[in-house]
Amino acid sequence: MLAYLALATAMILTGINVALGKIIVTEMPPASFAMLRFVLASACLVPLAMTEKGARASLLALTKRQWFEIFLLSLFGVVGFTTLMLIGIQYTSAINAGIIASSLPAIIALLSWLVLREYVSPRKALSVALAVVGIACINLATPETSAGSSHVWSQTLLGNGLILAAVTSEAIFAILTRRYANMIPPWTLTMIVHLLAIPITLPVLMRQDGGWVIPQANASFWLLAVYYIITASVVSFYLWCVGIKSVSASSSALFTALVPTSTLLVAVFALGEKLIMLQIVGLIAVLASLFIGLKASATSHSTT
């Protein structure tokens, strides 16, 4: 029961942060906030990693190729996901972002087939197809505030595309982490990818913002920013690690359905966004994709 509670809380926090990102980027440029997140998260993670047994030995045992792959973990799973998500949320609604983010399991299945040549069962193929239908509905949904405005619709499409790119980066991260989850202690791995994210983000920061932009914002913004950083990089990760120890992978993935749910609640009740019919259809299609994909995974595990 505690494992389920940990997984549920981790996904709820993730969904809330997707919506809160829309508030944060109105005060601070995405690249500058991403750098702030990586620096503060690293400061929190270093002492946590130092308490793990075997942390130093696991890092010293890594080959040059493995360090390169960990660099890719940071590039896609930390820098790519965070930066693309924060930039994309500027152009689309939090509702759209939450729904697209929940297509992660389907994108992982698609990439596993394209890159790793893994077998895709008919159920998994249906899962991917439903995710495509759901995202198509989101892209066809015209914001009520811009009825007939092709310019705003094109901006929304750009935002949706960036969110999808962010989720694809996270899917690449999920595939790559399969080989390192048991090699490096969890806090240590998280610390390393966040530390590597700092120099990786620097060129993006200089190009996008011309330097690290620290806004003259009020205390409420900084409380929100710190909450976002701690929950996204420390708390959610820890809770997920706690839950995943005693829950199967197929069962734990079921909790990703809470991401669009919590995002939608914050978007509607806190941000004042309105849910339209095509978004509802898209949400249903993506959730159906999630459940069918998880059922396919559970079936394959039971037969092996």
Side-chain angles (χ1 to χ4, degrees):
M1 185 54 132
L2 287 176
Y4 289 142
L5 181 60
L7 293 173
T9 304
M11 291 297 96
I12 289 171
L13 289 174
T14 300
I16 291 172
N17 283 337
V18 169
L20 293 182
K22 194 157 185 77
I23 299 174
I24 288 171
V25 295
T26 62
E27 295 284 345
M28 192 172 187
S32 290
F33 181 74
M35 180 63 82
L36 179 66
R37 172 182 172 176
F38 304 149
V39 170
L40 290 185
S42 296
C44 294
L45 290 164
V46 167
L48 291 171
M50 290 176 66
T51 65
E52 288 186 310
K53 293 182 179 179
R56 186 171 181 272
S58 66
L59 295 179
L60 291 174
L62 294 174
T63 64
K64 290 182 179 180
R65 178 181 175 82
Q66 289 171 332
W67 272 112
F68 175 70
E69 289 182 350
I70 291 174
F71 169 84
L72 293 180
L73 286 178
S74 180
L75 176 64
F76 287 107
V78 181
V79 178
F81 177 77
T82 301
T83 307
L84 290 169
M85 180 67 74
L86 290 173
I87 296 174
I89 201 72
Q90 292 179 303
Y91 301 105
T92 191
S93 68
I95 292 174
N96 286 354
I99 296 173
I100 295 171
S102 63
S103 65
L104 177 63
I107 295 175
I108 291 174
L110 181 61
L111 288 178
S112 297
W113 173 65
L114 290 173
V115 179
L116 304 179
R117 298 300 180 185
E118 289 186 359
Y119 171 72
V120 176
S121 67
R123 279 182 176 172
K124 281 192 175 181
L126 177 59
S127 170
V128 172
L130 283 170
V132 171
V133 170
I135 293 172
C137 289
I138 296 302
N139 286 331
L140 291 173
T142 304
E144 282 194 2
T145 56
S146 60
S149 172
S150 59
H151 172 69
V152 176
W153 188 41
S154 65
Q155 292 287 300
T156 301
L157 287 177
L158 172 62
N160 292 347
L162 290 168
I163 300 297
L164 183 59
V167 177
T168 303
S169 291
E170 184 69 9
I172 296 171
F173 174 81
I175 292 172
L176 288 174
T177 47
R178 290 178 183 177
R179 67 183 69 185
Y180 292 105
N182 295 321
M183 291 175 57
I184 304 173
W187 286 128
T188 303
L189 180 58
T190 311
M191 176 197 69
I192 290 299
V193 296
H194 276 82
L195 286 173
L196 288 173
I198 296 172
I200 294 172
T201 306
L202 193 57
V204 180
L205 179 70
M206 298 305 297
R207 180 176 178 82
Q208 291 289 323
D209 302 342
W212 200 357
V213 178
I214 304 297
Q216 299 293 323
N218 56 32
S220 61
F221 167 77
W222 291 114
L223 287 173
L224 182 65
V226 171
Y227 166 84
Y228 182 106
I229 291 167
I230 297 301
T231 55
S233 293
V234 181
V235 178
S236 293
F237 184 84
Y238 175 76
L239 290 174
W240 187 260
C241 288
V242 169
I244 203 72
K245 289 180 180 179
S246 53
V247 178
S248 67
S250 58
S251 296
S252 63
L254 179 64
F255 289 90
T256 58
L258 292 171
V259 172
T261 305
S262 55
T263 301
L264 189 149
L265 290 173
V266 175
V268 172
F269 293 106
L271 303 182
E273 293 185 1
K274 294 183 178 179
L275 192 64
I276 62 177
M277 184 54 65
L278 270 175
Q279 288 174 320
I280 295 173
V281 174
L283 175 63
I284 292 172
V286 170
L287 289 179
S289 161
L290 177 63
F291 287 116
I292 290 173
L294 294 176
K295 192 172 182 180
S297 297
T299 302
S300 65
H301 283 302
S302 65
T303 56
T304 56

